[in-house]
Amino acid sequence: MFAFLPPAWMLSLKKAGYWIWLVPVFGIPVSYWWSYGSDHPNAWGWFVISVVFLVIPILDAIVGRDPANPDETTEVPVLEREGYYRFLSLLTVPLLLGMLVYGGWVLAHYEAWNWVGKLGWILSVGTVMGAIGITVSHELIHKDPQLEQMAGGLLLAAVCYAGFKVEHVRGHHVNVSTPDDASSSRYDQSLYAFLPHAYKHNFLNAWRLEAQRLKRKGLPALHWRNELIWWYVISALFLVGFSVAFGWIGAVYFLGQSAMAFTLLEIVNYVEHYGLHRRRLDDGRYERTTHEHSWNSNFLLTNLFLFHLQRHSDHHAYAKRRYQVLRHYDASPQLPNGYAGMIVLALFPPLWRAVMNPRVRAYYAGEEYQLSDTQRA
């Protein structure tokens, strides 16, 4: 749809378009307001999650792909210096936390919903915290400034998944697309086989990596300088706060939206690396991570919603690049839809395999033996 636009125009359009993340955030209170006086109030509890996973994939196909890469010489240095993009990512933190508290208040006080509406509400809030909150936290924890590190950690603590802050940067980015990485899904592995393994090993890996960091400093793992302890304390304080403010339903709400959010993260991990691997070299090491080792999805709409997370190939090749300057590579393996549509597809393993397995085999044409030889868990 936008292929005819000059690249400079496209970059200007995207500069304003990143504000689209506000749509799902404010979709939460809007769905609550619209349920008032409705003949079917429970349906409105499912409004946001329905739009994200039913409407967005269709709009992705209609809107199409993003044709613009910033010019490395003239545009990237300017874009990287602009504080506007950093401000935009940091602004999500207070608004998301405010939405989270508001969602708990609504659930505790709104009597028009039965358990169906309440479940939809919890899953909808968790979808926003996962799709926007964890996406932004992912952007922030890759950056050096302490403010961004703390903001990213706080968003992860709000969904009880602080281990991601440690394991993703020090583990996943080191071992991506190898059998050593719990976040890299294997060829022909179903989502339901992947998720339990990812939950368990990413949690354990985070503690192992933090213990190794402290050991190098001559400190024990259970030390006050273990950042995981502090982040999980904050998660516990969130849980206590929601329980005190809203009773048992507040505790169920906080834990439920957390589970939805971090499950969404792990499904995205499944989608991003399915079947891809780094070749083992003669010396036993794996080849350097490049833009060929992650699935890319250059659909404009979801790229704006997700702060260019779908240009994941460039992110893994250059992890500290800020979202506004991530590039699309035609040579990267390409997903047939945005993340919202691919998440839905992953929920149905036969359909997923029918769509994705031929793409993996085509990408490794002539090297199909590596799909089994190098991807054993």
Side-chain angles (χ1 to χ4, degrees):
M1 180 181 290
F2 294 94
F4 66 93
L5 287 181
W9 289 22
M10 197 67 215
L11 290 174
S12 297
L13 176 64
K14 290 201 294 184
K15 185 174 184 178
Y18 287 120
W19 286 95
I20 201 171
W21 66 270
L22 289 171
V23 172
V25 175
F26 286 107
I28 293 296
V30 167
S31 62
Y32 165 60
W33 299 333
W34 285 352
S35 71
Y36 267 112
S38 170
D39 293 334
H40 305 285
N42 288 306
W44 290 107
W46 294 85
F47 175 71
V48 170
I49 191 173
S50 299
V51 169
V52 170
F53 295 116
L54 296 178
V55 178
I56 296 300
I58 297 172
L59 292 178
D60 253 339
I62 294 172
V63 174
R65 291 173 170 83
D66 176 2
N69 276 340
D71 182 87
E72 288 295 312
T73 304
T74 60
E75 292 170 328
V76 166
V78 175
L79 289 170
E80 287 186 329
R81 286 196 301 268
E82 283 195 56
Y84 165 85
Y85 295 99
R86 185 183 180 205
F87 165 77
L88 192 57
S89 59
L90 289 171
L91 180 63
T92 64
V93 179
L95 288 182
L96 284 168
L97 295 181
M99 181 210 70
L100 185 62
V101 174
Y102 173 82
W105 180 88
V106 168
L107 190 67
H109 293 90
Y110 192 44
E111 298 180 355
W113 289 332
N114 59 25
W115 70 268
V116 174
K118 291 176 180 178
L119 177 61
W121 183 255
I122 292 171
L123 296 180
S124 288
V125 172
T127 296
V128 178
M129 290 298 294
I132 307 300
I134 294 184
T135 294
V136 172
S137 74
H138 169 265
E139 169 73 16
L140 296 174
I141 63 175
H142 275 288
K143 304 304 176 284
D144 294 328
Q146 190 67 18
L147 175 62
E148 290 173 284
Q149 285 282 317
M150 298 297 288
L154 184 59
L155 285 175
L156 291 170
V159 294
C160 301
Y161 219 55
F164 181 76
K165 184 176 186 296
V166 171
E167 204 288 327
H168 178 79
V169 176
R170 294 186 237 157
H172 174 60
H173 271 262
V174 174
N175 298 314
V176 64
S177 298
T178 75
D180 299 324
D181 181 36
S183 291
S184 295
S185 49
R186 318 294 186 232
Y187 175 73
D188 213 39
Q189 182 182 33
S190 77
L191 174 65
Y192 303 103
F194 169 81
L195 284 176
H197 185 267
Y199 293 144
K200 174 184 176 181
H201 289 279
N202 285 332
F203 176 81
L204 295 175
N205 287 344
W207 284 96
R208 177 180 57 82
L209 289 165
E210 186 64 357
Q212 290 175 352
R213 184 185 71 85
L214 292 170
K215 185 178 180 179
R216 289 193 293 270
K217 297 178 179 291
L219 301 173
L222 296 179
H223 190 273
W224 67 269
R225 292 178 67 180
N226 184 323
E227 69 167 304
L228 290 175
I229 293 175
W230 289 104
W231 292 123
Y232 282 120
V233 165
I234 292 174
S235 293
L237 291 175
F238 271 117
L239 177 59
V240 170
F242 277 95
S243 301
V244 171
F246 308 122
W248 68 268
I249 193 66
V252 170
Y253 163 79
F254 176 71
L255 294 176
Q257 67 82 28
S258 294
M260 178 62 185
F262 65 66
T263 296
L264 194 58
L265 162 67
E266 294 298 356
I267 298 175
V268 168
N269 278 332
Y270 175 85
V271 168
E272 288 171 339
H273 302 289
Y274 178 76
L276 300 179
H277 65 273
R278 287 150 60 196
R279 295 166 181 82
R280 192 186 291 273
L281 304 176
D282 292 340
D283 63 2
R285 293 182 171 184
Y286 291 99
E287 63 181 328
R288 177 185 177 276
T289 305
T290 72
H291 61 272
E292 297 181 345
H293 299 122
S294 305
W295 288 96
N296 201 61
S297 179
N298 201 37
F299 287 85
L300 177 62
L301 185 62
T302 36
N303 257 332
L304 292 176
F305 271 117
L306 300 177
F307 293 86
H308 267 175
L309 178 66
Q310 295 181 151
R311 288 187 167 184
H312 207 62
S313 302
D314 196 26
H315 167 69
H316 266 282
Y318 303 96
K320 287 191 178 294
R321 283 180 76 98
R322 291 190 177 269
Y323 68 91
Q324 67 270 25
V325 295
L326 289 175
R327 297 158 294 185
H328 164 74
Y329 291 94
D330 288 330
S332 300
Q334 303 295 320
L335 293 172
N337 198 260
Y339 280 4
M342 299 309 297
I343 287 168
V344 174
L345 190 66
L347 298 177
F348 303 94
L351 295 178
W352 173 266
R353 290 187 177 110
V355 172
M356 292 302 298
N357 281 10
R359 285 174 164 78
V360 177
R361 290 195 300 270
Y363 195 69
Y364 288 109
E367 296 183 288
E368 290 86 353
Y369 66 92
Q370 295 200 50
L371 295 177
S372 59
D373 290 348
T374 66
Q375 291 208 14
R376 296 193 180 109

